[in-house]
């Protein structure tokens, strides 16, 4: 409660008590004298002289205690005592608040080496009159207490405050139009009010502007180092970039659509060059596919903060032995020095130096390989944070984008984003049908970027032993490579996300929603393929031979969907198998007490029937009418979806429409016979839900 209104109310109460006391004092001089001299005792009051006879007046006046006067006087004195006590308590609280405020004023920052939190300010060189974004990070929620901003000795107002759950825990705020001068930002603890982190930045004048041309020969210079807080900022930045509210959907085309969103991107125009402004002449262009996405995000982040960046150019390899990576590349390359604009120089670096060299096989490395760009991490909630990747040994890569912590009432869920050959970025939740793990191959699983250090003008990566011993990392682990089965992997991940055993019914709903999200994503992919075929007047797209249908180049790579359809079929099978799995492994799930297996089975099937009947999608048929399909119909068409990935087929066939149905009657395009014959041969891969061996 604020101090001033509280004291004002106490003063009013005090005045009321005094008025009541004065009312009884006016009853007579003896009463007033007793009230003043003996307030803590029973006040003797004289009897009203007007109520006595003349004979009584001749006698010695006796002091008597009037019961009504006595009670009122005692109550008034008790009330005054309580008021005095409350005034003292209010003064003590006021002194405590003053002390806390004095402790929250800018002061010496804790040592960065032992700090439990960190604060960053963007843009890197703030200018007067422009909005400054403040980002605070911490490993625990309690460290993120209150953010305060001061400039030239006066406090500034922080707006648009928002917190995000971890790990790492983060908080963002904005300082609107500060003046030129020194800007001090301080973060205090949530309960102790002690300073946990602070930062000082010089706000430049409005006339300040970066140099138009780059005064360096590299892709970008290195002025900072990777440590626990820059790694935490990378994780929190990825999480904020692709944050989607609960129940929402996320899809972007291409990647720079989300980096140009100032409400999402903390690094938006961080260099002061309007590099993320869609109207700028020189703006960042990011159009990665599956394997490029994590590298593009890491390079963009390193370029903005002037951090070292390094990767290796690898062969395709295979899921069993992984690739060979003999060529080392980093941001110190001078190949692009003739491009004087720093933004266009970065675009050329990302497009040619990364996009033309990196592929999905680059991430598919053995867990013990010290020369890989990634290293395997522990299966813990802290390790499975945004910015980490998941590698499917068959050749697909996800970047973890969001983590919802589990509790007794809420299911813990992990989300990831992935790129596609058509340059779309989609968001998926963790499940067997999306994050595909194979214990037979030691090249997949969750991984993190290998730390790089810059020393004496050279960049190198840390080895696995150095990572394990480094105080800022220490999360290298071979646990995933030592798992005996696929199910053991998924059990470990669910246990890491959920401190309590997951509710069987809740988990089943999550799996069905994950399947629905995959279907919605496929709608966009098929639509883009149909649009391309119409633009080219249905010029045939050549089908590759054998396993090459899953990884190739050109129009087939961009507009066919064999890998996407295989994952969709796996997700369908996971939904159909889950009720039996719960009955078989009931001890791993939370089931209402007293439920028999039969009752549990009936409730699971009721959930399946209800959700699959109410979750819907739609597509545009060849005659431009809209066809609505329920998720139950999609599941029933899984036989047709095994041969529905060819862009030369009409959209009705792409969605598995039965041959004699009215829906199929509007189809006017079919793939050539030799292509259909090949697809019939490859159909066994989709029946067995197993991707064929990849080339080495």
């Amino acid at each position: 409660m604020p101090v001033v209104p509280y004291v004002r109310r106490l003063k009013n109460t005090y005045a009321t008590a005094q008025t009541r006391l004065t009312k009884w004092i006016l009853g007579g001089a003896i009463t007033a004298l007793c009230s003043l001299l003996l307030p803590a005792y029973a006040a003797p009051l004289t009897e009203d002289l007007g109520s006595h006879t003349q004979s009584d007046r001749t006698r010695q006046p006796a002091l008597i205690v009037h019961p009504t006067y006595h009670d009122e006087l005692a109550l008034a004195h008790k009330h005054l005592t309580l008021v005095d006590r409350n005034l003292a308590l209010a003064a003590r609280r006021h002194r405590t608040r003053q002390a806390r405020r004095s402790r929250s004023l800018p002061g010496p920052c804790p040592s960065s080496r032992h700090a439990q939190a960190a604060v960053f300010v963007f843009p890197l060189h703030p200018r007067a009159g422009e909005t400054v974004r403040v980002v605070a990070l911490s490993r625990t929620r309690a460290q993120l207490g209150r953010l305060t901003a001061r400039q030239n000795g006066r406090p500034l107002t922080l707006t648009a405050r928002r917190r995000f759950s971890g790990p790492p825990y983060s908080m963002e705020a904005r300082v609107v139009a500060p003046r030129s001068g020194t800007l001090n930002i301080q973060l205090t603890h949530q309960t102790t009010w002690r300073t946990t982190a602070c930062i000082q930045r010089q706000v430049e004048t409005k006339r300040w502007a970066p140099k138009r041309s780059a005064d360096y020969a590299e892709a970008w210079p290195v002025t900072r180092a990777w440590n626990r807080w820059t790694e935490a900022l990378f994780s929190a930045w990825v999480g904020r970039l692709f944050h989607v509210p609960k129940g929402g959907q996320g899809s972007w085309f291409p990647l720079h659509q989300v980096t140009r969103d100032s409400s999402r991107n903390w690094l938006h125009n961080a260099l002061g060059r309007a590099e993320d402004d869609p109207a700028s002449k020189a703006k960042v262009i990011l159009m990665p596919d599956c394997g490029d996405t994590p590298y593009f995000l890491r390079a963009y982040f390193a370029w903005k903060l002037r951090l070292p960046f390094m990767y290796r150019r690898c062969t395709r390899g295979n899921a069993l032995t992984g690739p060979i990576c003999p060529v080392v590349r980093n941001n110190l390359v001078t190949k692009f020095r003739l491009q004087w604009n720093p933004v266009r120089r970065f675009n050329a670096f990302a497009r040619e130096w990364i996009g033309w060299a990196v592929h999905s096989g680059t991430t598919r490395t053995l867990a013990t390989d010290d020369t890989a760009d990634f290293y395997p991490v522990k299966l813990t909630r802290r390790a499975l944070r945004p910015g980490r990747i998941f590698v499917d040994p068959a050749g697909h890569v996800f970047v973890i984008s969001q983590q919802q912590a589990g509790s007794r009432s809420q299911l813990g869920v992990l989300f990831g984003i992935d790129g596609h050959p058509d340059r779309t970025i989609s968001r998926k939740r963790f499940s067997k049908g999306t994050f595909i793990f194979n214990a037979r191959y030691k090249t997949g699983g969750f991984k993190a970027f290998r730390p790089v250090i810059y020393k004496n003008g050279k960049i190198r990566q840390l080895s696995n032993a150095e990572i394990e011993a480094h105080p800022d990392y220490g999360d290298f682990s071979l646990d995933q490579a030592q798992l005996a089965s696929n199910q053991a992997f998924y059990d470990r991940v669910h246990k890491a996300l959920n401190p309590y055993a997951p509710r069987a019914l809740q988990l089943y709903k999550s799996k069905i929603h994950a399947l629905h999200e995959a279907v919605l994503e496929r709608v966009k992919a098929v639509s883009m393929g149909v649009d391309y075929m119409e633009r080219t007047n249905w010029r045939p797209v050549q089908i590759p031979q054998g396993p090459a249908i899953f990884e190739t180049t050109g129009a087939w790579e961009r507009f066919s969907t064999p890998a996407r359809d295989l994952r969709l079929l796996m997700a369908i099978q996971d939904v159909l198998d889950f009720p039996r799995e719960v009955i078989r492994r009931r001890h791993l799930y939370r089931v209402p007490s007293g439920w028999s297996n039969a009752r549990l089975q009936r409730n699971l099937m009721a959930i399946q029937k209800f959700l699959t009947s109410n979750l819907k999608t739609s597509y545009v048929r060849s005659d431009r009418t809209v066809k609505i399909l329920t998720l139950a119909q999609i599941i029933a068409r899984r036989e047709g979806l095994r041969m529905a990935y060819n862009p030369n087929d009409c959209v009705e066939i792409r969605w598995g429409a039965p041959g004699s149905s009215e829906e199929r009657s509007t189809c006017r395009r079919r793939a050539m016979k030799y292509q259909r014959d090949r697809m019939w041969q490859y159909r066994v891969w989709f029946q067995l839900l197993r991707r064929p061996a990849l080339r080495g």
Side-chain angles (χ1 to χ4, degrees), residues 523-583:
V523 172
K524 297 180 180 180
V526 173
S527 177
M528 292 182 68
V530 173
D531 292 343
Y532 169 79
M533 297 301 292
E534 290 179 348
R535 289 197 306 269
T536 59
N537 199 22
W538 289 89
R539 185 174 63 246
V541 176
Q542 298 301 315
I543 183 174
Q545 292 188 5
I549 64 170
F550 293 99
E551 56 174 44
T552 185
T553 58
W556 181 268
E557 179 195 26
R558 295 185 61 188
F559 302 112
S560 68
T561 57
R564 194 191 304 260
D565 290 358
L566 182 60
R567 291 193 297 271
L568 178 64
L569 291 169
M570 290 181 176
I572 292 175
Q573 196 61 42
D574 184 31
V575 167
L576 296 178
D577 291 344
F578 185 75
R580 292 190 296 271
E581 178 189 339
V582 172
I583 300 300

Side-chain angles (χ1 to χ4, degrees), residues 315-585:
T315 62
R316 279 284 180 182
N318 56 60
L320 192 61
T321 61
I324 300 175
C325 307
V327 180
V328 177
R329 290 182 172 181
N330 55 50
N331 63 287
L332 301 182
V333 60
T334 59
K335 175 182 178 181
F336 308 100
R337 63 184 181 276
L338 297 180
Q339 181 56 263
W340 60 270
N341 186 285
V343 181
R344 292 194 176 99
R345 183 181 296 185
F346 171 76
N347 287 339
F349 176 86
R351 181 181 64 254
E352 301 175 21
W353 213 237
I354 301 177
W356 295 355
V358 170
H359 46 79
S360 59
T362 309
T363 61
R364 192 176 53 205
T365 54
L366 291 172
T368 55
D369 189 355
D370 278 330
T371 63
D373 293 334
F374 299 88
Y375 66 93
V377 298
K378 301 175 182 178
L379 293 179
T380 62
R381 183 168 176 261
R382 176 172 291 183
L384 303 180
R385 65 191 193 189
R388 302 292 170 89
I389 71 169
F390 176 84
V391 180
D392 176 359
H396 197 64
V397 184
F398 289 92
V399 179
I400 300 177
S401 62
Q402 191 175 346
Q403 184 187 118
Q404 290 182 1
S407 62
R408 287 188 179 274
S409 59
Q410 177 177 300
L411 180 69
V413 184
L414 196 67
F415 293 91
I417 58 104
D418 59 337
H420 301 281
D422 56 11
R423 311 306 175 187
T424 58
I425 304 293
S426 59
R427 175 178 178 265
K428 299 182 180 69
R429 70 178 67 199
F430 178 84
S431 70
K432 283 185 179 180
T434 51
F435 290 64
I436 302 171
F437 181 83
N438 194 329
R440 176 188 174 191
Y441 304 114
K442 311 304 179 184
T443 55
F446 288 103
K447 301 181 181 182
F449 271 99
R450 187 173 297 277
V452 296
I453 57 175
Y454 176 75
K455 188 175 182 180
N456 299 328
K458 296 183 179 180
I459 298 177
R460 74 172 184 90
Q461 294 174 328
L462 298 182
S463 65
N464 293 337
E466 289 176 313
I467 294 172
E468 199 167 8
H470 201 286
D472 288 348
Y473 299 97
D475 54 352
F476 170 80
S477 174
L478 295 176
D479 289 350
Q480 299 177 74
Q482 296 170 355
L483 294 174
S485 65
N486 300 346
Q487 188 60 47
F489 169 80
Y490 295 105
D491 291 343
R492 287 281 299 274
V493 174
H494 280 298
K495 186 175 181 181
L497 299 176
N498 297 276
Y500 307 96
R503 299 177 185 269
L505 303 181
Q506 202 173 37
L507 183 57
Y508 196 34
K509 293 178 183 178
S510 177
K511 287 179 177 291
I512 296 175
H513 282 291
L515 173 60
H516 184 238
E517 291 167 2
V519 172
L520 294 178
E521 178 204 341
R522 189 178 186 273
V523 172
K524 297 180 180 180
V526 173
S527 177
M528 292 182 68
V530 173
D531 292 343
Y532 169 79
M533 297 301 292
E534 290 179 348
R535 289 197 306 269
T536 59
N537 199 22
W538 289 89
R539 185 174 63 246
V541 176
Q542 298 301 315
I543 183 174
Q545 292 188 5
I549 64 170
F550 293 99
E551 56 174 44
T552 185
T553 58
W556 181 268
E557 179 195 26
R558 295 185 61 188
F559 302 112
S560 68
T561 57
R564 194 191 304 260
D565 290 358
L566 182 60
R567 291 193 297 271
L568 178 64
L569 291 169
M570 290 181 176
I572 292 175
Q573 196 61 42
D574 184 31
V575 167
L576 296 178
D577 291 344
F578 185 75
R580 292 190 296 271
E581 178 189 339
V582 172
I583 300 300
R584 183 171 56 88
R585 307 168 72 240

